[in-house]
mmCIF file of all heavy atoms in Angstrom:
data_model
loop_
_atom_site.group_PDB
_atom_site.id
_atom_site.type_symbol
_atom_site.label_atom_id
_atom_site.label_comp_id
_atom_site.label_asym_id
_atom_site.label_seq_id
_atom_site.Cartn_x
_atom_site.Cartn_y
_atom_site.Cartn_z
ATOM 1 N N GLN A 18 0.451 -20.749 -7.197
ATOM 2 C CA GLN A 18 -0.637 -20.646 -6.232
ATOM 3 C C GLN A 18 -0.116 -20.564 -4.806
ATOM 4 O O GLN A 18 -0.751 -19.961 -3.938
ATOM 5 C CB GLN A 18 -1.584 -21.838 -6.382
ATOM 6 C CG GLN A 18 -2.401 -21.805 -7.667
ATOM 7 C CD GLN A 18 -3.322 -23.003 -7.811
ATOM 8 O OE1 GLN A 18 -3.292 -23.914 -6.988
ATOM 9 N NE2 GLN A 18 -4.135 -23.000 -8.856
ATOM 10 N N TYR A 94 -21.754 -15.679 -5.138
ATOM 11 C CA TYR A 94 -22.688 -15.082 -6.107
ATOM 12 C C TYR A 94 -23.333 -13.830 -5.500
ATOM 13 O O TYR A 94 -23.487 -12.804 -6.167
ATOM 14 C CB TYR A 94 -23.780 -16.080 -6.500
ATOM 15 C CG TYR A 94 -23.365 -17.073 -7.558
ATOM 16 C CD1 TYR A 94 -23.268 -18.428 -7.260
ATOM 17 C CD2 TYR A 94 -23.081 -16.661 -8.863
ATOM 18 C CE1 TYR A 94 -22.883 -19.354 -8.226
ATOM 19 C CE2 TYR A 94 -22.700 -17.575 -9.841
ATOM 20 C CZ TYR A 94 -22.607 -18.918 -9.518
ATOM 21 O OH TYR A 94 -22.230 -19.826 -10.487
ATOM 22 N N PRO A 166 -1.091 9.221 19.760
ATOM 23 C CA PRO A 166 -0.099 9.919 20.598
ATOM 24 C C PRO A 166 0.644 11.014 19.840
ATOM 25 O O PRO A 166 0.881 10.916 18.630
ATOM 26 C CB PRO A 166 0.858 8.786 20.987
ATOM 27 C CG PRO A 166 0.769 7.813 19.843
ATOM 28 C CD PRO A 166 -0.656 7.868 19.370
ATOM 29 N N ASN A 222 13.276 -16.923 -24.287
ATOM 30 C CA ASN A 222 14.191 -17.942 -23.765
ATOM 31 C C ASN A 222 15.180 -18.396 -24.838
ATOM 32 O O ASN A 222 16.385 -18.507 -24.590
ATOM 33 C CB ASN A 222 13.401 -19.145 -23.246
ATOM 34 C CG ASN A 222 12.655 -18.846 -21.957
ATOM 35 O OD1 ASN A 222 13.017 -17.939 -21.214
ATOM 36 N ND2 ASN A 222 11.609 -19.610 -21.697
ATOM 37 N N VAL A 259 8.644 -17.877 -11.704
ATOM 38 C CA VAL A 259 8.162 -19.243 -11.913
ATOM 39 C C VAL A 259 8.199 -19.621 -13.391
ATOM 40 O O VAL A 259 8.684 -20.695 -13.764
ATOM 41 C CB VAL A 259 6.742 -19.413 -11.341
ATOM 42 C CG1 VAL A 259 6.167 -20.779 -11.714
ATOM 43 C CG2 VAL A 259 6.761 -19.248 -9.829
ATOM 44 N N PRO A 267 16.720 -25.300 -13.494
ATOM 45 C CA PRO A 267 17.289 -26.639 -13.708
ATOM 46 C C PRO A 267 18.541 -26.624 -14.578
ATOM 47 O O PRO A 267 19.476 -27.403 -14.345
ATOM 48 C CB PRO A 267 16.143 -27.396 -14.398
ATOM 49 C CG PRO A 267 14.900 -26.706 -13.931
ATOM 50 C CD PRO A 267 15.286 -25.259 -13.851
ATOM 51 N N GLU A 314 9.814 10.085 -19.925
ATOM 52 C CA GLU A 314 10.806 10.551 -18.949
ATOM 53 C C GLU A 314 11.123 9.462 -17.931
ATOM 54 O O GLU A 314 12.279 9.286 -17.526
ATOM 55 C CB GLU A 314 10.285 11.802 -18.233
ATOM 56 C CG GLU A 314 10.218 13.054 -19.090
ATOM 57 C CD GLU A 314 9.646 14.234 -18.333
ATOM 58 O OE1 GLU A 314 10.425 14.977 -17.701
ATOM 59 O OE2 GLU A 314 8.421 14.403 -18.356
ATOM 60 N N ALA A 338 30.834 -18.307 -11.663
ATOM 61 C CA ALA A 338 31.163 -19.385 -12.609
ATOM 62 C C ALA A 338 32.673 -19.573 -12.705
ATOM 63 O O ALA A 338 33.171 -20.707 -12.756
ATOM 64 C CB ALA A 338 30.586 -19.063 -13.985
ATOM 65 N N LEU A 385 -2.998 0.608 -27.702
ATOM 66 C CA LEU A 385 -3.897 0.088 -28.739
ATOM 67 C C LEU A 385 -3.131 -0.228 -30.021
ATOM 68 O O LEU A 385 -3.338 -1.292 -30.635
ATOM 69 C CB LEU A 385 -5.008 1.097 -29.025
ATOM 70 C CG LEU A 385 -6.070 1.256 -27.937
ATOM 71 C CD1 LEU A 385 -6.995 2.420 -28.268
ATOM 72 C CD2 LEU A 385 -6.870 -0.029 -27.775
ATOM 73 N N CYS A 428 -7.797 -0.837 -3.008
ATOM 74 C CA CYS A 428 -7.455 -0.937 -1.587
ATOM 75 C C CYS A 428 -6.405 0.108 -1.208
ATOM 76 O O CYS A 428 -6.493 0.743 -0.153
ATOM 77 C CB CYS A 428 -6.952 -2.341 -1.279
ATOM 78 S SG CYS A 428 -6.713 -2.670 0.474
ATOM 79 N N LEU A 441 -1.072 12.598 7.146
ATOM 80 C CA LEU A 441 -0.120 11.638 7.721
ATOM 81 C C LEU A 441 1.185 11.584 6.942
ATOM 82 O O LEU A 441 2.254 11.397 7.538
ATOM 83 C CB LEU A 441 -0.762 10.249 7.779
ATOM 84 C CG LEU A 441 0.106 9.128 8.360
ATOM 85 C CD1 LEU A 441 0.500 9.434 9.802
ATOM 86 C CD2 LEU A 441 -0.609 7.781 8.284
ATOM 87 N N LYS A 444 3.420 14.232 8.117
ATOM 88 C CA LYS A 444 3.850 13.932 9.484
ATOM 89 C C LYS A 444 4.925 12.853 9.493
ATOM 90 O O LYS A 444 5.921 12.955 10.207
ATOM 91 C CB LYS A 444 2.653 13.487 10.319
ATOM 92 C CG LYS A 444 1.637 14.588 10.594
ATOM 93 C CD LYS A 444 0.436 14.059 11.358
ATOM 94 C CE LYS A 444 -0.596 15.148 11.593
ATOM 95 N NZ LYS A 444 -1.798 14.636 12.290
ATOM 96 N N GLY A 451 13.146 14.354 11.209
ATOM 97 C CA GLY A 451 13.468 14.746 12.580
ATOM 98 C C GLY A 451 14.341 13.712 13.278
ATOM 99 O O GLY A 451 15.268 14.062 14.002
ATOM 100 N N ILE A 477 9.836 -2.510 4.281
ATOM 101 C CA ILE A 477 8.854 -3.086 5.207
ATOM 102 C C ILE A 477 7.442 -2.971 4.640
ATOM 103 O O ILE A 477 6.665 -3.934 4.648
ATOM 104 C CB ILE A 477 8.947 -2.403 6.585
ATOM 105 C CG1 ILE A 477 10.278 -2.755 7.257
ATOM 106 C CG2 ILE A 477 7.772 -2.826 7.476
ATOM 107 C CD1 ILE A 477 10.536 -1.990 8.540
ATOM 108 N N ILE A 500 11.460 14.554 0.076
ATOM 109 C CA ILE A 500 11.090 15.877 -0.424
ATOM 110 C C ILE A 500 11.194 16.925 0.676
ATOM 111 O O ILE A 500 11.556 18.079 0.414
ATOM 112 C CB ILE A 500 9.656 15.848 -1.000
ATOM 113 C CG1 ILE A 500 9.558 14.818 -2.140
ATOM 114 C CG2 ILE A 500 9.243 17.224 -1.499
ATOM 115 C CD1 ILE A 500 10.474 15.082 -3.302
ATOM 116 N N THR A 580 24.375 16.698 -19.547
ATOM 117 C CA THR A 580 24.812 16.627 -20.940
ATOM 118 C C THR A 580 25.124 15.172 -21.292
ATOM 119 O O THR A 580 25.370 14.346 -20.404
ATOM 120 C CB THR A 580 26.061 17.480 -21.158
ATOM 121 O OG1 THR A 580 27.149 16.908 -20.399
ATOM 122 C CG2 THR A 580 25.833 18.920 -20.710
ATOM 123 N N ALA A 621 36.513 0.762 -3.875
ATOM 124 C CA ALA A 621 36.731 1.224 -5.245
ATOM 125 C C ALA A 621 35.412 1.298 -6.001
ATOM 126 O O ALA A 621 35.154 2.272 -6.741
ATOM 127 C CB ALA A 621 37.704 0.295 -5.969
ATOM 128 N N ILE A 644 43.422 -4.665 -10.230
ATOM 129 C CA ILE A 644 43.535 -5.570 -11.378
ATOM 130 C C ILE A 644 44.999 -5.958 -11.616
ATOM 131 O O ILE A 644 45.328 -7.136 -11.794
ATOM 132 C CB ILE A 644 42.954 -4.919 -12.644
ATOM 133 C CG1 ILE A 644 41.433 -4.781 -12.525
ATOM 134 C CG2 ILE A 644 43.293 -5.745 -13.889
ATOM 135 C CD1 ILE A 644 40.795 -4.084 -13.707
ATOM 136 N N LYS A 652 50.264 -14.545 -12.348
ATOM 137 C CA LYS A 652 51.435 -14.955 -13.121
ATOM 138 C C LYS A 652 52.442 -15.684 -12.229
ATOM 139 O O LYS A 652 53.113 -16.617 -12.668
ATOM 140 C CB LYS A 652 52.092 -13.736 -13.779
ATOM 141 C CG LYS A 652 51.299 -13.190 -14.968
ATOM 142 C CD LYS A 652 52.027 -12.035 -15.626
ATOM 143 C CE LYS A 652 51.287 -11.547 -16.869
ATOM 144 N NZ LYS A 652 51.973 -10.409 -17.522
#
Side-chain angles (χ1 to χ4, degrees):
Q18 290 179 355
Y94 279 114
N222 289 337
V259 173
E314 290 178 90
L385 288 172
C428 188
L441 180 61
K444 292 177 182 178
I477 292 173
I500 301 300
T580 65
I644 291 177
K652 286 183 176 179

